[in-house]
């Protein structure tokens, strides 16, 4: 099997390693089968799509809607690299699953708009699939409605031209969409479980997602939540796209 490529942007090792390990574990892949590049550490470099079964993009604290003057040189580089890659991926209709930052990366293409209209706090949120989501090859593995962990400062307020809406929540109309047949983005985190959320709450307590005094209550919320369904996206993505 050709390996899958995982792209990360988290500078904090605990969060970065936890995210990659969770994606690999839920997808049922070995480290050789899910190879990682940390874009916050080094340039993306050459990506020949024919070398890979598919690409998975993780989340992180970068937001495409951040004021341009506030973005670091690293963030500017990462955004440019991911935009160029995303354009190639869409043109080739190459298997791609962008979780969280995937919405920012894909959502600004083809006339789409990503802004601060539909922010959601760190929470366990109820997600509902659209009719297209229920019949989709990838999203169709999920139940018609389910709970997922998330927390985001930005979201899609206008879908890219030709995008298919797959999932929504009460506070955020676009929780998942597809471009072409094989290019996907989710606002929610398909890899995030209770342990992972608690780690990120500790890591990002001073990143503006929540009041630092809320750490304990957010962990209590996480432990009281039942989030079991979003993870199904990952092995299904591998099942659909693992290539010899």
């Amino acid at each position: 099997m050709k390996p899958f490529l995982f792209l990360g942007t988290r500078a904090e090792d605990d969060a970065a390693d936890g995210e990659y390990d969770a994606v690999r574990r839920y997808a049922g892949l070995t480290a050789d089968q899910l190879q990682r590049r940390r874009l916050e550490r080094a340039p993306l470099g050459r990506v020949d799509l024919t070398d890979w079964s598919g690409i998975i993009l993780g989340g992180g604290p970068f937001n495409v809607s951040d004021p341009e003057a506030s973005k670091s040189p690293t963030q500017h580089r990462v955004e440019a690299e991911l935009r160029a890659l995303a354009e190639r991926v869409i043109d080739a209709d190459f298997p791609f699953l962008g979780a969280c930052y995937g919405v920012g990366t894909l959502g600004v293409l083809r006339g789409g708009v990503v802004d601060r209209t539909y922010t959601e706090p760190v929470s366990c949120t109820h997600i509902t699939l659209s009719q297209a989501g229920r019949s989709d090859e990838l999203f169709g593995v999920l139940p018609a409605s389910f709970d997922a962990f998330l927390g985001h400062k930005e979201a899609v307020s206008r879908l890219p031209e030709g995008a298919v809406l797959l999932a929504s929540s009460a506070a955020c109309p676009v929780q998942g969409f597809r471009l072409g047949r094989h290019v996907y983005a989710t606002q929610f985190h398909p890899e995030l479980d209770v342990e992972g959320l608690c780690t990120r709450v500790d890591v990002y307590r001073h990143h503006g997602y929540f009041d630092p005094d809320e750490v304990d209550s957010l962990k209590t919320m996480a432990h009281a939540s039942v989030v079991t369904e979003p993870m199904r996206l990952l092995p299904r993505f591998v099942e659909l796209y693992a290539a010899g």
Side-chain angles (χ1 to χ4, degrees):
M1 184 189 82
K2 293 181 182 179
F4 288 82
L5 176 62
F6 179 81
L7 303 177
T9 64
R10 300 181 188 275
E12 304 80 11
D13 286 342
D14 286 348
D17 292 342
E19 178 183 52
Y20 168 72
D21 289 344
V23 169
R24 185 176 57 78
R25 182 173 70 253
Y26 284 118
L29 297 172
T30 67
D32 287 339
Q33 293 169 332
L34 183 64
Q35 298 182 19
R36 174 165 63 154
R37 296 187 191 179
R38 292 183 62 171
L39 303 188
E40 86 290 350
R41 287 187 170 182
L44 172 61
R46 176 179 174 273
V47 177
D48 185 338
L49 299 181
T50 63
D51 291 338
W52 306 96
S53 287
I55 297 171
I56 300 173
L57 171 64
F62 292 159
N63 295 282
V64 297
S65 61
D66 290 336
E68 291 300 313
S70 74
K71 295 178 181 179
S72 67
T74 297
Q75 183 172 350
H76 280 293
R77 172 182 58 77
V78 169
E79 286 184 4
E81 290 175 337
L82 287 177
R83 185 183 184 97
L85 178 63
E87 292 280 10
R88 292 173 54 212
V89 161
I90 293 170
D91 287 344
D93 201 16
F94 184 78
F96 182 95
L97 176 59
C100 184
Y101 199 35
V103 162
T105 299
L106 297 175
V108 297
L109 304 178
R110 307 295 195 268
V113 175
V114 174
D115 56 27
R116 306 295 173 109
T117 303
Y118 299 110
T119 62
E120 287 186 289
V122 175
S123 59
C124 177
T125 296
H126 198 63
I127 309 291
T128 301
L129 296 186
S130 66
Q131 182 59 49
R134 292 193 289 273
S135 61
D136 182 75
E137 278 192 316
L138 177 62
F139 272 63
V141 75
L142 301 170
S145 61
F146 56 94
D147 288 340
F149 289 128
L150 53 73
H152 52 91
K153 299 177 183 179
E154 65 181 9
V156 171
S157 61
R158 185 175 70 217
L159 279 167
E161 182 178 351
V164 177
L165 178 66
L166 300 175
S168 302
S169 65
C172 183
V174 181
Q175 285 286 347
F177 66 90
R178 186 186 76 238
L179 285 164
R181 291 186 57 202
H182 308 301
V183 180
Y184 293 88
T186 69
Q187 184 74 74
F188 63 91
H189 288 273
E191 86 292 348
L192 196 54
D193 53 21
V194 173
E195 180 183 358
L197 181 60
C198 289
T199 296
R200 291 185 202 174
V201 165
D202 284 332
V203 170
Y204 296 117
R205 66 187 300 164
H206 297 297
H207 281 67
Y209 291 99
F210 53 86
D211 188 306
D213 292 337
E214 294 181 294
V215 166
D216 289 341
S217 64
L218 289 173
K219 290 182 178 181
T220 297
M221 175 276 295
H223 284 284
S225 300
V226 179
V227 175
T228 58
E229 303 307 309
M231 298 77 172
R232 294 186 183 190
L233 285 180
L234 296 166
R236 179 59 174 164
F237 187 75
V238 171
E239 178 185 8
L240 287 172
Y241 299 120

